[in-house]
Amino acid sequence: MRQYDFESSVGYWLGTATQSYQRALNAELEKYGITYRQSHVIGWLAKDKELCQTELAERMMIEPPTLVRILDRMEQAKLIERTEAYGDRRKKIIRLLPAAEPIWEKIVDCVLDVRAMAVENFTAEEIQSLITGLRKLHDNVVAQTPEVVQPIS
């Protein structure tokens, strides 16, 4: 069987770091009864104010049926509303409701706490270098794979 050096693999460390970061964020969000995916929904809507379900699923990099289940729970909790798009009843527009605002504040606190923990032993230059490198990596992948979702700008 062909050997592979995981220890020097960019993909391996990206995946491992992402999983660790997500687990830490999940643990923080759990304290407030928020799921990782719900935090994504609220985050995208906090940024863009409203999105159709298809756009939201694409940005979250999940399948539309998976998103529907998340949105069902969030709608029941009165965090979001779904309305028909003007001129196209099949298209659903998602918006945050006022009850989501204090939850967004908790999400931001959790993200900032996890970020601080994750970069605890980094210098400001190392953090900037990491961000620059990850942006370059992303740009390289997007250049070869145009269907990749663009980052938040």
Side-chain angles (χ1 to χ4, degrees):
M1 183 189 290
R2 189 172 176 188
Q3 296 297 309
Y4 184 77
D5 183 9
F6 287 97
E7 289 294 315
S8 64
S9 167
V10 170
Y12 170 78
W13 286 111
L14 271 173
T16 300
T18 298
Q19 285 179 347
S20 298
Y21 199 91
Q22 285 177 349
R23 284 185 183 134
L25 186 53
N26 264 328
E28 289 299 309
L29 292 169
E30 210 172 82
K31 295 174 187 175
Y32 302 104
I34 304 164
T35 69
Y36 183 72
R37 290 299 188 189
Q38 288 172 336
S39 76
H40 280 192
V41 169
I42 294 171
W44 281 112
L45 294 174
K47 178 190 177 295
D48 291 328
K49 306 302 177 221
E50 67 179 38
L51 290 166
C52 73
Q53 277 187 210
T54 308
E55 290 172 312
L56 186 55
E58 285 175 11
R59 291 182 187 198
M60 292 176 63
M61 294 184 268
I62 61 175
E63 294 297 318
T66 301
L67 178 59
V68 168
R69 291 189 299 274
I70 296 164
L71 295 178
D72 286 345
R73 288 189 296 274
M74 293 180 77
E75 193 171 40
Q76 288 171 354
K78 303 204 182 322
L79 299 175
I80 60 144
E81 67 177 357
R82 286 185 271 201
T83 58
E84 293 176 357
Y86 180 74
D88 187 352
R89 295 183 324 181
R90 296 168 298 164
K91 189 175 181 180
K92 300 293 183 207
I93 303 298
I94 316 301
R95 290 181 196 89
L96 291 176
L97 291 174
E101 189 172 330
I103 293 172
W104 173 239
E105 296 300 322
K106 291 175 184 172
I107 291 168
V108 171
D109 289 342
C110 290
V111 169
L112 293 175
D113 288 347
V114 170
R115 181 190 305 167
M117 179 267 307
V119 297
E120 187 174 321
N121 298 316
F122 283 65
T123 65
E125 294 80 23
E126 288 172 326
I127 293 168
Q128 192 53 55
S129 180
L130 177 61
I131 292 169
T132 300
L134 291 171
R135 280 191 176 139
K136 281 183 184 178
L137 186 144
H138 181 269
D139 290 346
N140 290 343
V141 172
V142 169
Q144 299 296 316
T145 319
E147 65 274 4
V148 172
V149 175
Q150 295 299 315
I152 298 172
S153 53

